[in-house]
Amino acid sequence: MIFAPRTFHVLAATALVSVLGAAPGSALAALPYAGKTLRVLSFNDTHAAAVAKRLPEFEKLTGAKVVFDAIASNTVAAKTTSDQAAGGSYDLYTVDEPFMPQLAPFFVPLAQWPAPKTVDKSELAPERYLPAALAGGSYKGTNFGLPINGNVYMYVYRKDLFSDAKERDAFKAKYKYELKAPTTTAQMRDVAEFFTRPPSMYGFAPFTKMSEGTTVEAIWVLSTFGVRSVDTPQALSLDAAKATEAFQFYLDMMKFAPPGATAWHHAERMAAYSKGKLAQMMTWPSFVKDLENPQKSLVVGKNDYAPPPAGPAGKPSAVAGTWTLALPKSSKQKELASEFAGWWASASFGKSLVESGMNPARRDLLQDAALVKSNPWFPGILSNFEGAVVRPRSPDYNKLSDVVSRHFTKMIAGQATADATVKAMDAEISRLTSLPKK
Amino acid sequence: MTPSQRRSTPWVFLWPGALLLGLLLFVPIVFSLSLSLRDTTATTLAQGGDAFIGAGNYVELASDEGFHASVFLLLKFIVVTTSIELVVALAVAWWLDQVVRPWRILESLLIVPMFVIPVVSGLTFRYLLDPGEGLIGFVFEKLGREPPAMLGDPTLAFWAIVLQDVWRMWPFVFLIVYAGFKGLPREPLEAITLEGANAWQRFRYLILPLLRPTLAVAALLKAIESLRAFTEIYVMTGGGPGEATNLLSMYVVKQAFTFFRVGYGSAVSAVFLFVGLGLALLFGWIQRRAARGATLA
C-alpha cells in the first residue's frame, strides 16, 4: 500500500466529503440565478404563509435565495411608499387593488417585464387571468402586474334553512313566492325579514366599523342600485335618487341585523354567521374557507353561494379586491423577480395554494373540476368577477374612501338621513376631485 | 488633576451616550420637522421628488376643520380620562392607606391592567362592548333591557374609549398617588385625628393640600401618556363612527400613512410634538416648584 492505513482513511474521508459537499454546490452553481438574492414584500395571511413555506422549491429551481417579508395587509402600501421613497430595497411588491393608481409610477408595466427562464413564459400572459382581476392591477389602461388572488364580493346563504320544507311553506304563505337565493334586493329584504327571529337568528350582516370595509359596502350598495361612479365631481348628485334609494335600502336592512351591528367588522360578521345566527351574508371568498372549517364554524356544509342580488337597475354588482404582484423600476433583479412572480402566479403552484385558502384569479383554476369539488364557491367567484366593480382608479382613492366611510358610518349611527348623506358625500367628493392633486 | 481637567472628565465619558441619544432622539425629530416644510406625498415622490413649500403645510393646518376637530377631541379625551383616573386613583389610594395589612395584597393586583398592551385592551373592550356577544349584551339581557351599541353610537363611542383608557391606565395614576400617600408625614395626621377630625376632614384639610404637587405630577404624566392613545382606538372604532373618535393621533396616522401626505402629516406631528413639549416643560416646572417648597419646608 502506498499510504499507511491511517493516512489512507483520512484521505478517503476527505475525498468523500469533498464529493458529497461539492455535488449540490456545483449543481446550484449551474442554476440560472445562483448566488442572487430576491427581496419580496408581501401581505401576511395563510396564502402568503403557504408561499413562504414553499420558498425552498423556488430556490432549488433557480438557485436564488428569497427574502420574503410578510407584514400586516393594511400596512403594505405605506411600507411600499416609504421603501420606494428611500430608493427601493425590494424586488417585488404585493399591491392591494385600491392602491395601484397611487403606486403605479413606481412600477414596470407588465408588458415590459423580462421573460422568465425556468417558468413557462405563458404564465405571465394576461389572457390567463380574469379581466376584472387584471383591472385591479391596472391604471390608465396600463397593466402593472400579475393578480395573485381573486377576491370578489359574494352572497352566501344557509341552504339548510332555505331547503327546509316548513320554512319554504311559511315563506311562500307570507310572500307569495318560493324561498330561494334572492336574485333581487327586494327578495333579499324579504329573506332578511323572514329569518329575523331575535335573539337566535337574523337576516342581515352589515359592515359598519369605520374602515375600508365600510367603503366597499357603500360602493356595493350604490353600484347595485345603479350609481355609476363615486369619484368624479357631482357623481352622486347625477344619480342622487338612486344613491338615496341605495342608502335607504341599507338603513332598512339594518332592522334585520343583530343588536349592536352598527360597529361590525369582518370578525363580528364571521362570528355571527359561523354560530348560525345569520341566514345570509355578503362576504369575501377569502373568508369562506373558514365558514367551511369545522374547527371554526358550526355551519359547515350548510352553505351555498350565489351571485349578489340585483338592484332596481337589474344588474348584480360585486366589488373586487385583488392583490397584484408588481415589479418596481428600482429593482436590480428584474429578471429574477419576474421569474418569482411567474412561479407564484402559475397554475401548477396555484393548485396547491388553493388548499391554504387562496382564491385564484385565473380562469383555468376556477374551472378546475377537482378544485371546484373541494371549493364549491369557485363558480361564484368566476361569475361575480364577470361584472365586478373595480374601486375608483384614482391616486386620491384613500381620501375618497375616507369621505365615503365617514359619511356612511354617520348615517348608520343615525346622525344623518340617506338623503343628507348623499348630499354631504357628494359635496365633499366634488370638492376633493376638483382640487389639484397633492 | 487640574480644575479644568476635573470639569471636562465627565464629558469624556458622557459623549458616546450623548451622541447615541442625540442620533436616536433628535435626528428623527429634525427629519420630521424638515418634512413638514415639504410637499412630500406618494405622488410627488413617484414623480421625481418633493419640493420645499415653507410654511405651506402649517397654513393649511390653520384652516383644516378636520385637524381642529381632532385637536379638540384629543383635549377632551385628555381632560376626561385624566380627571376620572385621578379621582379613582385618589379614592383607592386613600382607602388602601387606611386598611389593614391583608387588604394590601390589592396594591399588586390593582396595577395589573397597566401591563395589558393597548391592542389587547382595545380588542378586549371591543368584544366586551358588543351588544350581541359581549358582556354588555349579557348584562342588559339579564336586566331585560336592550343593550346599547356603544361603539356604533357617536356619543357613546367616545365614552367607550374613555372607559377602556380608565380601566387600563388608572393604575398608572394610582401608583404615583399612592406613593404620595406613603410619603405623607404621619405626625400631623395623628395630631388632627386627636383633635377630633373625622376621615373626610382629614382628607379635605390635610391630605389633599399635602398631595397637591403629587396630583399635579400624576395629572401631567397621564396627560402626556394620553397623547399617545392610538392603537386601542384604532382597533375599537377606527376613529368612527364618522369623526366621533378621530383623535389627533388617528388624524396624524391617517394623513401620513393612509393618504400618504407625509409632509402634511409631519406638520400635524410637529404641532403634536410642541403640545407634548409644553406639557413636559410644565411637568419640569411643577417638579422644581415642589422641590423648592420641600426645601423651604
Side-chain angles (χ1 to χ4, degrees):
Chain A
M1 196 174 234
I2 302 168
F3 303 111
R6 197 171 165 190
T7 315
F8 176 77
H9 286 141
V10 170
L11 284 173
T14 310
L16 190 66
V17 166
S18 327
V19 168
L20 289 175
S26 55
L28 209 65
L31 293 172
Y33 300 99
K36 294 193 171 174
T37 301
L38 181 79
R39 287 174 54 83
V40 181
L41 181 66
S42 169
F43 51 85
N44 189 12
D45 69 357
T46 53
H47 172 183
V51 174
K53 206 172 166 186
R54 303 275 296 272
L55 290 178
E57 290 173 31
F58 180 78
E59 291 173 348
K60 201 173 162 191
L61 188 73
T62 60
K65 183 180 181 310
V66 181
V67 177
F68 192 83
D69 290 340
I71 59 173
S73 306
N74 58 354
T75 61
V76 174
K79 171 96 175 165
T80 302
T81 309
S82 57
D83 186 60
Q84 279 296 308
S89 65
Y90 289 97
D91 302 296
L92 202 62
Y93 295 89
T94 52
V95 182
D96 196 5
E97 183 175 320
F99 299 105
M100 186 52 92
Q102 191 154 26
L103 300 173
F106 294 124
F107 300 131
V108 180
L110 182 63
Q112 294 168 24
W113 284 25
K117 288 177 188 166
T118 59
V119 177
D120 180 1
K121 289 181 185 62
S122 68
E123 294 288 358
L124 303 184
E127 306 78 61
R128 294 260 191 168
Y129 305 91
L130 297 171
L134 279 169
S138 302
Y139 180 51
K140 289 187 174 172
T142 304
N143 185 7
F144 287 94
L146 290 177
I148 42 167
N149 71 346
N151 237 355
V152 64
Y153 242 30
M154 61 192 310
Y155 174 82
V156 52
Y157 67 99
R158 289 280 302 277
K159 70 177 175 192
D160 59 326
L161 298 177
F162 279 53
S163 58
D164 183 275
K166 270 184 12 198
E167 298 285 9
R168 293 175 70 86
D169 290 346
F171 186 88
K172 192 166 184 184
K174 187 171 181 185
Y175 298 100
K176 313 298 176 208
Y177 63 90
E178 295 291 341
L179 174 61
K180 59 180 174 55
T183 53
T184 66
T185 45
Q187 290 176 0
M188 187 186 190
R189 190 212 163 277
D190 290 345
V191 168
E193 183 183 56
F194 179 72
F195 281 110
T196 297
R197 298 155 194 180
S200 57
M201 175 68 76
Y202 295 90
F204 186 54
F207 195 111
T208 44
K209 185 195 167 191
M210 197 163 137
S211 62
E212 176 60 18
T214 20
T215 304
V216 168
E217 196 81 345
I219 291 177
W220 163 65
V221 73
L222 286 170
S223 56
T224 298
F225 278 74
V227 175
R228 288 162 290 182
S229 71
V230 292
D231 60 339
T232 50
Q234 279 85 49
L236 285 177
S237 50
L238 286 174
D239 286 324
K242 291 173 185 170
T244 306
E245 195 182 356
F247 285 161
Q248 193 54 56
F249 166 77
Y250 206 90
L251 286 176
D252 291 344
M253 291 294 281
M254 288 299 294
K255 289 186 286 199
F256 312 122
T262 46
W264 268 23
H265 204 258
H266 293 302
E268 287 83 1
R269 280 218 288 210
M270 285 295 289
Y273 193 95
S274 302
K275 284 179 184 170
K277 284 192 157 190
L278 290 166
Q280 58 179 354
M281 174 171 74
M282 294 297 299
T283 190
W284 294 101
S286 51
F287 291 106
V288 167
K289 198 96 180 170
D290 284 347
L291 293 181
E292 301 295 355
N293 180 348
Q295 291 181 326
K296 296 182 178 177
S297 169
L298 299 174
V299 292
V300 175
K302 294 178 178 177
N303 312 302
D304 208 347
Y305 310 89
K315 253 175 51 181
S317 167
V319 183
T322 309
W323 282 82
T324 295
L325 286 175
L327 174 58
K329 290 173 185 166
S330 59
S331 170
K332 292 183 176 59
Q333 309 275 5
K334 290 192 178 70
E335 201 174 291
L336 177 56
S338 161
E339 198 86 50
F340 185 80
W343 174 75
W344 186 342
S346 68
S348 53
F349 188 46
K351 274 187 186 175
S352 60
L353 288 178
V354 166
E355 294 308 311
S356 70
M358 185 271 280
N359 292 292
R362 300 172 61 111
R363 196 180 295 276
D364 49 2
L365 291 182
L366 287 168
Q367 289 177 323
D368 184 287
L371 293 182
V372 169
K373 199 175 172 192
S374 53
N375 301 273
W377 56 93
F378 275 16
I381 296 180
L382 193 60
S383 65
N384 292 359
F385 254 119
E386 297 299 341
V389 176
V390 176
R391 277 170 274 177
R393 313 308 289 158
S394 160
D396 276 334
Y397 175 76
N398 290 319
K399 291 180 204 163
L400 204 88
S401 170
D402 181 62
V403 173
V404 173
S405 181
R406 248 187 307 115
H407 288 288
F408 191 71
T409 53
K410 270 185 180 177
M411 178 185 79
I412 298 296
Q415 282 194 310
T417 61
D419 182 42
T421 301
V422 170
K423 283 180 184 148
M425 218 182 251
D426 186 57
E428 213 171 322
I429 290 173
S430 297
R431 200 161 55 238
L432 179 68
T433 48
S434 309
L435 285 173
K437 301 287 171 261
K438 282 191 178 176
Chain B
M1 191 182 271
T2 63
S4 92
Q5 277 176 325
R6 201 175 301 128
R7 272 198 305 273
S8 60
T9 303
W11 293 105
V12 174
F13 294 102
L14 278 175
W15 79 261
L19 182 70
L20 191 67
L21 188 69
L23 285 174
L24 292 175
L25 190 69
F26 294 111
V27 170
I29 290 175
V30 171
F31 182 64
S32 177
L33 288 174
S34 73
L35 274 177
S36 75
L37 304 174
R38 307 185 74 81
D39 68 344
T40 315
T41 67
T43 313
T44 57
L45 288 172
Q47 285 168 350
D50 50 349
F52 179 79
I53 53 165
N57 287 324
Y58 294 94
V59 172
E60 191 180 335
L61 272 182
S63 58
D64 183 346
E65 286 172 19
F67 169 70
H68 299 161
S70 64
V71 170
F72 173 74
L73 209 55
L74 174 69
L75 294 176
K76 185 175 158 189
F77 180 76
I78 290 174
V79 170
V80 171
T81 54
T82 307
S83 308
I84 296 174
E85 285 163 32
L86 266 180
V87 171
V88 174
L90 194 58
V92 176
W94 182 32
W95 175 70
L96 262 185
D97 192 51
Q98 298 174 78
V99 295
V100 288
R101 187 170 290 278
W103 283 99
R104 299 259 169 94
I105 182 95
L106 288 174
E107 287 170 7
S108 311
L109 294 177
L110 287 173
I111 60 170
V112 169
M114 202 174 75
F115 301 110
V116 177
I117 56 172
V119 66
V120 174
S121 173
L123 281 172
T124 306
F125 270 80
R126 180 162 177 77
Y127 293 115
L128 282 176
L129 298 176
D130 184 330
E133 309 289 331
L135 179 69
I136 195 168
F138 174 78
V139 171
F140 275 75
E141 195 185 300
K142 293 287 165 206
L143 295 171
R145 303 213 170 222
E146 179 88 1
M150 286 189 76
L151 301 179
D153 180 289
T155 309
L156 295 180
F158 176 79
W159 290 102
I161 63 168
V162 166
L163 182 67
Q164 183 281 143
D165 191 85
V166 168
W167 176 80
R168 191 171 58 83
M169 291 309 296
W170 82 267
F172 171 75
V173 181
F174 164 75
L175 277 184
I176 302 169
V177 175
Y178 194 50
F181 262 98
K182 289 289 164 199
L184 288 179
R186 295 287 139 176
E187 294 79 7
L189 270 172
E190 284 160 12
I192 197 174
T193 309
L194 288 172
E195 293 285 335
N198 61 26
W200 169 248
Q201 287 167 330
R202 284 200 300 274
F203 178 76
R204 171 70 185 82
Y205 297 107
L206 189 68
I207 296 174
L208 205 54
L210 286 173
L211 274 181
R212 201 165 288 147
T214 308
L215 294 177
V217 167
L220 262 174
L221 287 178
K222 175 61 189 64
I224 292 169
E225 215 289 322
S226 292
L227 289 174
R228 299 191 303 139
F230 171 76
T231 324
E232 59 275 38
I233 300 168
Y234 184 79
V235 297
M236 282 178 78
T237 63
E243 301 99 344
T245 54
N246 194 28
L247 267 60
L248 191 56
S249 53
M250 298 285 295
Y251 191 78
V252 173
V253 172
K254 192 186 272 185
Q255 291 296 331
F257 300 110
T258 305
F259 300 163
F260 302 115
R261 295 191 67 198
V262 183
Y264 190 67
S266 298
V268 182
S269 311
V271 174
F272 211 68
L273 175 75
F274 290 120
V275 171
L277 200 62
L279 288 172
L281 289 173
L282 191 60
F283 171 67
W285 179 76
I286 289 173
Q287 271 206 319
R288 279 194 303 276
R289 200 160 165 258
R292 210 167 41 236
T295 312
L296 289 174

